[in-house]
Amino acid sequence: MPVTVVVGAQWGDEGKAKIIDLLSKEHTHVVRYQGGHNAGHTVVVGGDRYALQLIPSGVLYDHVVPVIANGVVVDLPTLFDEIDALEARGHSCERLAVSSRAHLIFPWHQAHDAIAEAVRGDDKIGTTLKGIGPAYADKARRVGLRAGDVGDLDAFAVALRARAEAEDAQIRAAGSEALDIDEIVERFVRLGARLAPYVADTVELLHEALARHDHLLLEGAQATFLDLDHGTYPYVTSSNPTAGGACMGTGIGPREVTRVVGITKAYTTRVGAGPFPTELGDADGDRLVEVGKEFGTVTGRRRRAGWLDCAMLRQAVRLNSLTELALTKLDVLDGFEEVKVCTAYEIDGTISRGYPDRSVLLARARPVYTAMPGWSETIGEVRSPHDLPDGARRMLELVQDEVGIKVGVVGVGAERDDHLQWTAT
Ligand code: GDP
Ligand code: IMO
Ligand code: MG
């Protein structure tokens, strides 16, 4: 299993970090391939909670080389806050490698994010306001500054000032506060100097690892339905979390990838705006939010919640070539009298098992549900599939039948060890 990709199969926060932490035991490198500090990845070890935004979730193991690859957009203040916090807790980040090709985020990206959201008014996307979209836009416009640019700090300072002056004019024209250009240049040159020792040709580093038959884990942030191309546009992020993005975002070709694990919760959540066919506006929805503690790691926002959607998961299998699912938070369904799973959509009177290509259609989709009796037991201590209540077993079997691939790991709690293996993978 030399290269494994882990990708969210829904709208994010599926518990990817917990599964990556688990899989890290058998991998040498854990590599973030897209997104930035819009991600919030939680790992809980012996009661200690780690909330990671940029550093790969494998960092808690000493044997893992954490890599931030070329597809990521890097916010330097966040990166160093995270390194400092991890090192203060005894986790060295010395091995961290940051791709010379990774683009950097600057304060004007955050200003543009806020301006764009304000302009959208009621139609706003509900971004994390971290500057992710504008940073990727600058990459596409070919005006971005990259981690490798800190190799020559004098040239970096000149380029930084030129970019800051151009952006300042635009931001002021949009009615926003002027940038403090001198402060930004001074601060980011200092941060650039601190970044320099971490910068590497990660394409070279990863291919050398492949040549040694090391095991690489490519960590997706966000999720399939937040993908810029395949998600619910425009209610998406500005990168490609889908498995193809793992190749582009690391410089590893598709033939190297041997395993693609899709992560899903036992229900569905979404944070920010956009269509959500199985969303619940009732007491069941409130219960999922409260029991599942569905509040954003990064922004603290209450997540929207609803039943599991197998129409989504089938599409996620296609888009990512998923080889298996890991299903998390099954314990959150404990005590529901009835559990529902969406198996198809009714759109304008027609029932379809496919996935609509436009958000306006998805917004009109009415879920077709299979309802089944829930279970009254608490499953947090269960470690064997045979010990799961009948209702939970039936649900997992239904998901496998509907989605067409096996469920491997099942999460029954937030702690590192709170899981069981449903089927061998
Ligand atoms: P990510 O962005 O996909 O890594 O997920 P987040 O960390 O944003 O959100 C998942 C939340 O669920 C975190 O608070 C995890 O600690 C928690 N979690 C993960 N797996 C399980 C599980 O199986 N059961 C429960 N109850 N919580 C879980
Ligand atoms: P993890 O990796 C859930 C959502 C935002 C917004 C949209 C665009 O923790 O699963 P952006 O700031 O990226 O331009 O916002 O995407 N979003 C996430 N939702 N989990 C995430 O990351 C997310 N990252 C971005 O809420 O709807
Ligand atoms: Mg998250």
Side-chain angles (χ1 to χ4, degrees), residues 152 199 222 272:
D152 179 344
V199 176
Q222 289 80 52

Side-chain angles (χ1 to χ4, degrees), residues 8 12-20 39-44 49-52 57 219-222 263 265 267 291-298 303 327-332 410-415 418-419:
D13 304 322
E14 296 91 348
K16 297 178 290 294
K18 186 190 143 162
I19 303 296
I20 287 160
H41 294 166
T42 318
V43 181
V44 186
R49 186 173 172 278
Y50 296 86
L52 304 164
S57 303
E219 173 178 11
Q222 289 80 52
I263 317 295
K265 287 182 199 186
Y267 50 97
V291 179
K293 302 194 179 72
E294 296 298 350
F295 295 90
T297 322
V298 175
R303 297 175 185 145
L327 186 140
T328 63
K329 302 190 106 165
L330 188 60
D331 54 299
V332 174
V410 172
V412 292
E415 275 280 346
D418 292 343
H419 63 88

Side-chain angles (χ1 to χ4, degrees), residues 368-408:
V368 176
Y369 284 119
T370 295
M372 55 199 135
W375 55 94
S376 55
E377 296 89 333
T378 53
I379 62 170
E381 310 270 297
V382 172
R383 296 291 177 269
S384 155
H386 310 290
D387 296 334
L388 282 174
D390 286 348
R393 297 169 61 83
R394 260 203 299 278
M395 179 176 177
L396 292 170
E397 271 153 19
L398 177 74
V399 171
Q400 291 188 150
D401 288 348
E402 283 294 328
V403 180
I405 58 170
K406 288 195 180 308
V407 174

Side-chain angles (χ1 to χ4, degrees), residues 219-278:
E219 173 178 11
Q222 289 80 52
T224 301
F225 293 90
L226 290 173
D227 185 279
L228 182 58
D229 287 77
H230 297 291
T232 48
Y233 193 89
Y235 303 102
V236 292
T237 193
S238 296
S239 66
N240 291 110
T242 44
C247 293
M248 187 276 286
T250 57
I252 294 174
R255 283 197 299 131
E256 303 287 351
V257 176
T258 41
R259 184 182 181 194
V260 186
V261 185
I263 317 295
T264 177
K265 287 182 199 186
Y267 50 97
T268 311
T269 63
R270 171 163 211 167
V271 55
F276 180 173
T278 64

